[in-house]
Amino acid sequence: ISFNSVDSSLSSLKNCQSYINTGMEIATHVALDLVESFNDVEDVNSMENVMLEYAAMDRELNHYMTAIEETVNQIKREKPENIPDLKYLVNEKFTALESKNMDSDLQKNEKYIYFKDQVKEMRKQFCHQSDNDNEAIEQIDEDIAVTQSQMNFICPITQMEMKRPVRNKVCGHTYEEDAILKIIQTRKQQKKKVRCPKIGCSHADVKGSDLVPDEALKRAIDSQNKQ
């Protein structure tokens, strides 16, 4: 049995997934724009709903691709004499996967988690918390807040203000992207692990895959520089 057409379909589905990822990135940027501009919290919540809709599409697409791949592997393994009904087998597996869906699954989507985290950080950086936010930040002396923010702008590696900050998902510390990637690459060649450069941090295995752009911090730095 030739699976060329199936492989082509899978390739097309993966392209659709890239469109979903792009949509989620755009929604995240729009939400950050809204927080930075002190827009109504309802507007930010509407973007969160968009993210959940994208997460649902992503889950459905993943399930369908998994169903196709499992069906192909099953046929290759069993080698039936007659060509089975591929559509039926795929739908059967797809339905089984979809039956296990839970709303909480969507909140585990990596890009949704990033969205929530960045919106939270953005509200911290711009001191803009809604009355309904359960994680409201305590009001502190303005001078102390400014000093603390400026300290957060400094890369623990270069000791200079960051231009492209990335945050470690494991320990939460931020670094200049080029600086931390250079260290990771050097240690990799030496076959050594990278300890988090932040003084006092016990995280001893920083990986490139754990780093995500800290858009909220970058915006805060840019805003401070404009002032």
Side-chain angles (χ1 to χ4, degrees):
I1 303 172
S2 174
F3 293 103
N4 290 338
S5 60
V6 175
D7 292 338
S8 177
S9 297
L10 276 173
S11 179
S12 296
L13 289 173
K14 287 175 182 176
N15 283 335
C16 290
Q17 199 164 38
S18 70
Y19 298 145
I20 291 174
N21 289 335
T22 299
M24 295 182 89
E25 289 169 6
I26 292 171
T28 300
H29 282 287
V30 170
L32 297 183
D33 286 340
L34 291 170
V35 176
E36 188 174 0
S37 303
F38 300 100
N39 277 52
D40 194 290
V41 68
E42 290 183 8
D43 292 333
V44 178
N45 289 342
S46 69
M47 297 315 300
E48 182 175 348
N49 290 333
V50 169
M51 290 294 291
L52 288 170
E53 288 174 11
Y54 272 126
M57 285 190 283
D58 186 60
R59 178 179 63 185
E60 185 176 353
L61 194 56
N62 278 326
H63 283 169
Y64 197 67
M65 288 192 291
T66 298
I68 293 173
E69 289 167 352
E70 287 183 355
T71 300
V72 169
N73 290 334
Q74 178 184 337
I75 293 171
K76 287 180 178 179
R77 186 173 60 251
E78 296 176 356
K79 298 177 181 177
E81 293 182 7
N82 299 319
I83 299 176
D85 187 336
L86 292 176
K87 185 176 180 180
Y88 173 79
L89 290 175
V90 168
N91 283 335
E92 189 177 45
K93 293 181 186 298
F94 174 72
T95 301
L97 289 168
E98 285 284 289
S99 67
K100 298 176 183 177
N101 285 349
M102 296 177 64
D103 289 342
S104 59
D105 295 341
L106 303 180
Q107 296 175 1
K108 297 174 184 176
N109 180 282
E110 189 172 339
K111 287 192 177 296
Y112 174 77
I113 292 173
Y114 178 74
F115 169 90
K116 291 285 289 181
D117 181 67
Q118 285 291 288
V119 167
K120 177 183 172 184
E121 290 300 316
M122 196 73 175
R123 283 175 170 153
K124 282 184 184 179
Q125 296 293 349
F126 287 87
C127 298
H128 175 59
Q129 294 290 113
S130 73
D131 294 334
N132 297 325
D133 197 332
N134 293 327
E135 298 176 359
I137 302 165
E138 293 181 4
Q139 293 299 311
I140 57 177
D141 182 82
E142 187 175 347
D143 291 338
I144 296 176
V146 170
T147 303
Q148 184 64 44
S149 293
Q150 289 172 339
M151 286 174 61
N152 292 337
F153 295 169
I154 303 300
C155 171
I157 303 167
T158 66
Q159 293 303 310
M160 296 174 65
E161 186 177 88
M162 289 178 278
K163 292 181 172 62
R164 296 178 63 184
V166 291
R167 190 161 47 80
N168 192 322
K169 292 188 292 184
V170 178
C171 63
H173 293 127
T174 53
Y175 334 98
E176 180 65 52
E177 183 178 32
D178 290 343
I180 188 65
L181 290 179
K182 187 175 181 180
I183 291 177
I184 291 173
Q185 182 61 31
T186 301
R187 291 287 196 278
K188 185 177 181 181
Q189 291 172 351
Q190 299 171 345
K191 296 183 179 179
K192 294 180 180 178
K193 293 181 179 180
V194 179
R195 176 175 288 277
C196 175
K198 186 74 173 179
I199 295 174
C201 183
S202 61
H203 183 47
D205 189 14
V206 179
K207 298 184 177 70
S209 57
D210 293 330
L211 305 176
V212 293
D214 197 330
E215 180 67 23
L217 182 57
K218 183 179 185 304
R219 287 172 183 240
I221 293 171
D222 291 344
S223 176
Q224 180 73 23
N225 288 337
K226 285 177 184 177
Q227 292 175 10

